[in-house]
Amino acid sequence: MTQESGRFAQALVGAIRTLYTTDTFIPLHEPRFGPRDSEHVLAALESGFVSSVGRHVDDFEAALCDFTGARFAVATVNGTAALHVALLLGGVRADEEVITQSITFVATCNAIRYCGAHPVFVDIERATLGLSPESLAAFLNDHAEIRDDGLCWNRDTGRVIRACVPMHTCGHPARSDRVAQVCADWNLVLVEDAAESLGSFYQGRHTGRYGQVAVLSFNGNKIITTGGGGMILTDDEALAQRARHLTTTAKQPHPYRFLHDEVGFNYRLPAINAALGCAQMEALPDYLTQKRELANGYARWIEGTDRVFVREPAGAVSNYWLNAFLARNAEERDFILEYTNARGVMTRPLWTPMHELAPYRGCQRADLPNSAWVEARLVKIPSSVPPVESSRDSRR
Ligand SMILES: *Cc1c(COP(=O)(O)O)cnc(C)c1O
């Protein structure tokens, strides 16, 4: 470890403590709540409708349609459940394959396995941290063919490749237009994991609006939260109806009978959570502004130390959900993680790549040079919307 790395880590802790004006523990991302949040949740309690029926779920879904431009939004208990159903909507079946990136949160792969399908890993781009359209196209050229049935077959495994799931890492948009083009060329359904990227746009389109279906998450650490929650977005009315059906135990409408026409799920978001979501959506534009200011501050500081801050990619407006920078090498990354976490400043590496995890070690994969390069260097730093005092200060 060089002395310069030591000085950098020390200065980083100081800079983060100054930003958040506290001597106590600083988490990676915590939610912000105000009086409006309590009012909405109380209103749900007082209405008596705290479960999945009631105005709040409809209002929350409408707010998401409005914000993202999607025609339909279906709220779910969490983002993982949304992904599971989104893949089923995409037609993913047992013993098929779904291409995704090895650099993602494990939920992406778990949802693929819930369908009985197998993940296949391609590389990410250094610039976007998202699925590389070039790696995807190269993998398909080398290993796949479209047969007379119109489906994309993996020549090595003899299985159908049904879908592709890019993920917008830390909120930074992947190059979805190019990914969508490759998917169209190979008859793959595009399902976007936009769990981290509410408020991020690529070429003027909200993330998740390039795929046939996409998902969002409102887990406690995401840019807005419902405690736990997720959302399925689509422009396709039939898919939206099917999403509602599958997430409500596949129950057919009937005045009093219990008729379920397939194996469904209890995946609908409770109204009490949706009420919190409605309040959080009102705050989202402010959160986005404040997170951008925070990111700009970090960028200036990090770049002043001659290190690379992860900026929004060209053509994108990012929500800057999680700020991150690249350490000089894996050794420096490990030193910084050790140093900051020992001093109450929460930092995290990128996830362990999926192809290194026990359940996914055996999955087929492309060469993953960028995944390895980024994973060895990236450090996520505290990114909560700054507390009220300091954000007020920064507005003056
Ligand atoms: C948060 C997240 C999810 C899952 O969301 P939950 O609401 O926690 O189930 C899925 N994919 C990615 C990339 C995520 O970051």
Side-chain angles (χ1 to χ4, degrees):
M1 187 42 46
T2 66
Q3 278 191 1
E4 201 275 337
S5 296
R7 279 195 301 273
F8 171 76
Q10 192 182 9
L12 179 66
V13 166
I16 293 170
R17 289 214 170 278
T18 307
L19 269 169
Y20 283 98
T21 57
T22 175
D23 295 330
T24 58
F25 174 71
I26 302 176
L28 197 65
H29 202 291
E30 63 181 351
R32 289 278 173 260
F33 299 120
R36 200 178 20 221
D37 297 288
S38 321
E39 280 162 27
H40 276 73
V41 174
L42 269 178
L45 283 177
E46 281 159 10
S47 76
F49 290 99
V50 294
S51 195
S52 291
V53 283
R55 184 175 60 80
H56 292 97
V57 177
D58 298 342
D59 288 353
F60 187 43
E61 290 174 344
L64 266 299
C65 286
D66 207 45
F67 187 86
T68 62
R71 281 187 67 206
F72 304 97
V74 179
T76 61
V77 281
N78 58 52
T80 311
L83 262 171
H84 181 192
V85 171
L87 290 164
L88 294 175
L89 298 178
V92 176
R93 310 241 191 298
D95 298 320
E96 295 184 343
E97 295 179 352
V98 176
I99 299 180
T100 188
Q101 53 202 69
S102 181
I103 297 294
T104 185
F105 179 55
V106 70
T108 316
C109 295
N110 289 346
I112 293 168
R113 286 298 297 143
Y114 298 165
C115 301
H118 303 272
V120 172
F121 301 118
V122 297
D123 207 8
I124 57 166
E125 298 181 299
R126 286 197 197 183
T128 65
L129 311 181
L131 190 139
S132 158
E134 285 77 23
S135 176
L136 175 64
F139 179 87
L140 291 164
N141 277 320
D142 290 348
H143 301 277
E145 64 191 16
I146 295 181
R147 296 196 182 151
D148 292 342
D149 55 10
L151 298 176
C152 178
W153 289 81
N154 185 327
R155 282 190 271 108
D156 303 345
T157 61
R159 295 194 282 232
V160 169
I161 307 174
R162 180 68 64 174
C164 173
V165 185
M167 196 275 285
H168 306 287
T169 310
C170 298
H172 299 300
R175 277 196 296 146
S176 305
D177 56 339
R178 285 291 301 131
V179 174
Q181 188 56 56
V182 179
C183 287
D185 291 346
W186 287 89
N187 295 350
L188 300 180
V189 178
L190 175 56
V191 176
E192 286 181 74
D193 183 347
E196 306 188 349
S197 59
L198 175 64
S200 299
F201 294 79
Y202 185 66
Q203 295 180 343
R205 261 175 103 79
H206 196 278
T207 49
R209 302 281 299 116
Y210 287 83
Q212 278 88 334
V213 47
V215 308
L216 302 171
S217 165
F218 313 110
N219 188 34
N221 64 348
K222 297 300 203 286
I223 187 161
I224 68 159
T225 187
T226 56
M231 193 74 77
I232 299 167
L233 302 177
T234 184
D235 279 351
D236 185 318
E237 187 162 15
L239 288 187
Q241 266 169 12
R242 185 153 166 71
R244 267 177 226 292
H245 191 61
L246 279 177
T247 54
T248 49
T249 63
K251 186 177 181 298
Q252 292 182 317
H254 190 279
Y256 48 84
R257 286 220 168 96
F258 292 100
L259 296 169
H260 306 265
D261 55 17
E262 61 185 304
V263 179
F265 306 95
N266 178 14
Y267 277 177
R268 284 289 268 162
L269 184 73
I272 195 162
N273 301 82
L276 180 55
C278 292
Q280 292 268 298
M281 278 306 286
E282 289 176 23
L284 179 61
D286 268 356
Y287 290 174
L288 287 167
T289 308
Q290 291 171 58
K291 286 175 77 69
R292 178 162 290 270
E293 280 176 22
L294 177 67
N296 286 338
Y298 270 139
R300 271 193 302 275
W301 192 87
I302 301 273
E303 285 165 5
T305 70
D306 204 21
R307 281 172 183 76
V308 175
F309 180 73
V310 178
R311 284 184 180 264
E312 65 194 352
V317 176
S318 176
N319 66 358
Y320 279 108
W321 171 56
L322 280 189
N323 292 291
F325 69 92
L326 301 177
R328 294 202 166 134
N329 50 46
E331 195 194 7
E332 186 181 80
R333 175 201 63 175
D334 291 342
F335 172 76
I336 292 166
L337 289 169
E338 197 60 47
Y339 186 95
T340 49
N341 285 293
R343 283 159 186 77
V345 173
M346 187 168 165
T347 59
R348 287 290 180 266
L350 213 46
W351 309 273
T352 301
M354 294 301 111
H355 69 275
E356 293 177 12
L357 297 182
Y360 301 114
R361 212 168 272 154
C363 295
Q364 190 178 16
R365 58 179 194 258
D367 289 336
L368 306 171
N370 294 336
S371 303
W373 191 89
V374 174
E375 195 271 333
R377 290 165 179 78
L378 191 135
V379 179
K380 298 170 175 173
I381 51 182
S383 301
S384 314
V385 170
V388 179
E389 295 79 23
S390 67
S391 57
R392 234 188 253 130
D393 288 345
S394 69
R395 277 209 211 104
R396 261 187 222 136

